[in-house]
């Protein structure tokens, strides 16, 4: 048999442990919410910085593609002109 005092102390200890667990769970939930907020802000900031960089990179890519096409066209014209210049003229014939 246990004494009345022991029973009361054990009952109060269980209540304190339950309250302590409740307090701990509450603190952990708060901490989880804080971390979720930090993650959201970090991802949002990275995306906010990524999108303008991606857009400007795409714009530069388009400019380089246009320039490359123009250079290829010019190169082809130079080859045609060079070929025309190096073809010897037909021999002159005297009648």
């Amino acid at each position: 048999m246990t004494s009345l005092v022991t029973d009361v102390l054990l009952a109060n200890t269980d209540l304190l442990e339950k309250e302590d667990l409740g307090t701990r769970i509450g603190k952990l939930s708060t901490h989880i919410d804080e971390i979720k907020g930090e993650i959201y802000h970090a991802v949002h900031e990275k995306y906010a910085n990524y999108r303008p960089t991606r857009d400007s990179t795409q714009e530069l890519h388009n400019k380089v593609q246009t320039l490359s096409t123009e250079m290829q066209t010019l190169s082809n014209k130079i080859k045609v002109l060079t070929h025309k210049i190096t073809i010897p003229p037909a021999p002159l014939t005297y009648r």
Side-chain angles (χ1 to χ4, degrees):
M1 277 198 200
T2 58
S3 70
L4 179 63
V5 174
T6 305
D7 289 341
V8 170
L9 286 175
L10 287 175
N12 285 338
T13 302
D14 287 342
L15 287 175
L16 289 174
E17 286 179 6
K18 288 180 184 177
E19 287 177 8
D20 187 42
L21 287 176
T23 303
R24 284 180 157 177
I25 290 171
K27 286 180 181 179
L28 283 174
S29 293
T30 303
H31 192 65
I32 288 170
D33 289 339
E34 289 172 356
I35 291 174
K36 281 181 185 178
E38 289 176 23
I39 291 171
Y40 170 80
H41 289 299
V43 169
H44 182 72
E45 185 175 311
K46 290 288 182 184
Y47 179 75
N49 290 335
Y50 167 77
R51 188 168 181 184
T53 302
R54 183 201 66 190
D55 292 346
S56 66
T57 301
Q58 183 63 41
E59 190 176 316
L60 287 172
H61 172 75
N62 293 340
K63 288 179 180 179
V64 167
Q65 286 297 102
T66 302
L67 184 60
S68 177
T69 302
E70 290 176 8
M71 289 171 54
Q72 187 62 43
T73 302
L74 183 60
S75 176
N76 291 340
K77 286 181 181 179
I78 291 171
K79 286 179 184 177
V80 167
L81 289 174
T82 304
H83 182 68
K84 285 181 180 179
I85 292 172
T86 57
I87 295 176
L92 295 174
T93 55
Y94 298 102
R95 293 186 189 200

